Amino acid sequence: MLVELNDAEIVRQIGTGSSREAEAELFRRMAPRLRLYGLRHLRDEQASDDLTQEVLITTLEALRAGRLREREKLASFMLGICRLTVLGMRRGAQRKERLLEQFGPDLLPASQPSTPQLDHGQLAQCVQNLKERERTVVVMTFYDEQAGADVASFLGISEANVRVIRHRAILQLRQCLGVAS
Amino acid sequence: MTTGNAGGSVVCSRPLDAALLADYWLAVLLAPDEEAVELHLLQCDPCGARLREVIALSKSMHRLAREGSLRMIVSDASIQRAKDEGLRVRQYDVPAGGSVQCTVTAGDDLLIARLAANLAGAQRVDLSLCDQQGREQLRLPDIPVHPGSDSVLYQESITFAKAAPDNVMIARLLAFDESGIERLAGEYTFHHMRTMPGPGA
């Protein structure tokens, strides 16, 4: 079961150049994680998919060539590639077509974990149940996308206090929605 | 922050809590903290799943706020943001002691009342929503008020307003001083006239 292999073993097997299964496992394992990185930094699902593909293919090239010497540092290695790729994407550098042509789409993961769907009516009730300041903070944060300093200025409190209120509100919302672990 | 097994692990030895992941999603972490979170997320599926929940919450909150169905205090920046997004904002500015004829139409997205008041020295402000006889129906305690502000922006649920028949609502801003003594900072009367068809019209 390749799923039980740790990252270092995956890296080793890919480095031998003979394990198509290890490559597929790398893609299966890392694609959802990379997509989250992309969503965070690019705020766009299509761009996140593009980033995922590019980082995976760049990583695979490097592993096949044995360029990762410290095998247990795969995550760190890929994080570096993520950063460079985001920079490249922001500069408009698109290598996707060439890379896809070279490697083909067969290695790319067929599906990604989707963002969970929340019960909208239940969320509305949960938000309405928050204290006034908590409700204002979460709406200003998630809708207005206002920085902590702006929210703090509006409320006349410190940024640290805004953070505390936001954390408390998120915890309460998750508990109310039944998703808190 | 690492998982016990940096592989296809389903068990996380040091799970990141949702609040931290929300900070990550909101891009408010310092660079070293952000790097630590990202390194963890590249090795941990349970925390990735939790981040997806945070993203879902963020998206749902955005949708909820756009619907205008929340009763809450908002900021000028929030209203401007809504306008920038193309939402139609119906706003009534009411002086303390004033009254206004108001309505809401099908094309309106948000319903806002700017309640002017002298809130100087207030340690806490409550917003009390009353019926025509002045009987309190709902109280929003300890509302967020910017120090030195001369008004409060109250968002009424537009879903509620669109469905409401003709009625009168009295809003009161109640300011509390350091010793907890309450004073009426402003009273505002809204004569709502329904212009949309439907039950109660």
Side-chain angles (χ1 to χ4, degrees):
Chain A
M1 286 284 287
L2 285 172
V3 72
E4 293 171 354
L5 296 180
N6 62 28
D7 289 348
E9 182 57 21
I10 295 274
V11 172
R12 190 195 68 76
Q13 290 193 17
I14 293 173
T16 65
S18 60
S19 178
R20 188 79 170 171
E21 285 185 7
E23 293 180 356
E25 170 59 17
L26 174 79
F27 276 48
R28 186 204 63 75
R29 181 177 297 183
M30 299 305 292
R33 303 172 186 174
L34 295 171
R35 192 165 189 274
L36 282 173
Y37 181 94
L39 286 172
R40 158 66 179 78
H41 289 273
L42 301 168
R43 291 296 204 256
D44 179 86
E45 298 204 357
Q46 182 59 53
S48 301
D49 289 340
D50 291 346
L51 172 115
T52 300
Q53 292 176 347
E54 187 147 346
V55 171
L56 283 170
I57 289 169
T58 304
T59 302
L60 192 54
E61 284 180 312
L63 298 186
R64 282 176 177 176
R67 292 204 294 270
L68 176 58
R69 292 194 175 86
E70 297 180 83
R71 292 173 185 156
E72 69 281 4
K73 293 194 174 175
L74 176 65
S76 183
F77 180 70
M78 294 186 77
L79 180 56
I81 296 174
C82 283
R83 287 174 178 154
L84 291 173
T85 306
V86 164
L87 286 175
M89 291 177 76
R90 285 179 176 156
R91 285 195 300 263
Q94 295 287 340
R95 295 194 299 144
K96 180 186 168 191
E97 284 187 15
R98 180 183 68 76
L99 292 166
L100 282 176
E101 191 177 318
Q102 182 179 349
F103 288 92
D106 57 311
L107 280 176
L108 300 179
S111 62
Q112 298 274 354
S114 58
T115 304
Q117 296 294 312
L118 300 179
D119 183 322
H120 196 62
Q122 187 184 6
L123 175 63
Q125 189 59 53
C126 293
V127 172
Q128 207 63 66
N129 288 343
L130 293 174
K131 291 178 180 173
E132 303 308 319
R133 286 171 188 273
E134 294 167 349
R135 190 181 313 129
T136 298
V137 165
V138 292
V139 170
M140 289 182 78
T141 299
F142 288 117
Y143 175 61
D144 299 344
E145 294 178 356
Q146 291 192 43
D150 296 328
V151 180
S153 172
F154 173 67
L155 296 176
I157 58 180
S158 69
E159 280 190 63
N161 207 342
V162 168
R163 192 165 186 258
V164 169
I165 293 173
R166 183 173 67 237
H167 285 190
R168 191 167 55 215
I170 289 170
L171 177 64
Q172 289 178 15
L173 287 176
R174 284 171 51 80
Q175 287 174 338
C176 181
L177 291 165
V179 297
S181 53
Chain B
M1 276 183 287
T2 57
T3 51
N5 167 23
S9 63
V10 292
V11 177
C12 180
S13 60
R14 297 185 64 183
L16 308 179
D17 72 39
L20 178 65
L21 290 168
D23 286 349
Y24 170 66
W25 179 249
L26 295 166
V28 297
L29 293 178
L30 298 174
D33 296 331
E34 178 166 295
E35 179 172 347
V37 168
E38 289 181 334
L39 206 49
H40 184 93
L41 288 170
L42 282 175
Q43 302 171 82
C44 180
D45 292 327
C47 289
R50 199 170 300 111
L51 177 57
R52 282 187 197 89
E53 290 171 3
V54 169
I55 296 171
L57 179 64
S58 173
K59 288 181 175 176
S60 295
M61 282 298 306
H62 189 92
R63 181 178 152 206
L64 193 60
R66 278 183 62 91
E67 286 177 356
S69 57
L70 294 172
R71 284 187 166 113
M72 61 181 295
I73 305 302
V74 296
S75 66
D76 284 301
S78 300
I79 294 172
Q80 189 56 51
R81 161 92 186 205
K83 289 177 179 173
D84 292 344
E85 283 200 334
L87 297 185
R88 189 163 152 184
V89 180
R90 180 175 290 271
Q91 180 173 324
Y92 294 98
D93 293 355
V94 196
S99 67
V100 64
Q101 303 286 332
C102 54
T103 190
V104 60
T105 66
D108 295 324
D109 297 303
L110 299 178
L111 180 57
I112 306 292
R114 182 185 292 277
L115 311 175
N118 175 11
L119 300 170
Q123 297 300 301
R124 173 187 142 175
V125 178
D126 289 1
L127 175 60
S128 172
L129 303 175
C130 309
D131 63 14
Q132 189 168 5
Q133 284 71 43
R135 292 180 299 237
E136 184 173 275
Q137 305 296 305
L138 177 68
R139 180 176 286 229
L140 278 58
D142 195 17
I143 60 173
V145 175
H146 186 278
S149 172
D150 58 2
S151 64
V152 169
L153 285 168
Y154 169 64
Q155 174 179 290
E156 172 62 295
S157 165
I158 200 150
T159 310
F160 175 81
K162 283 181 176 177
D166 291 359
N167 70 88
V168 175
M169 181 186 84
I170 297 171
R172 292 182 181 131
L173 282 173
L174 306 168
F176 296 81
D177 64 17
E178 286 178 349
S179 53
I181 296 176
E182 175 187 308
R183 71 173 170 89
L184 181 64
E187 182 171 293
Y188 317 85
T189 305
F190 296 86
H191 299 273
H192 172 75
M193 182 182 295
R194 180 169 175 146
T195 54
M196 295 174 63

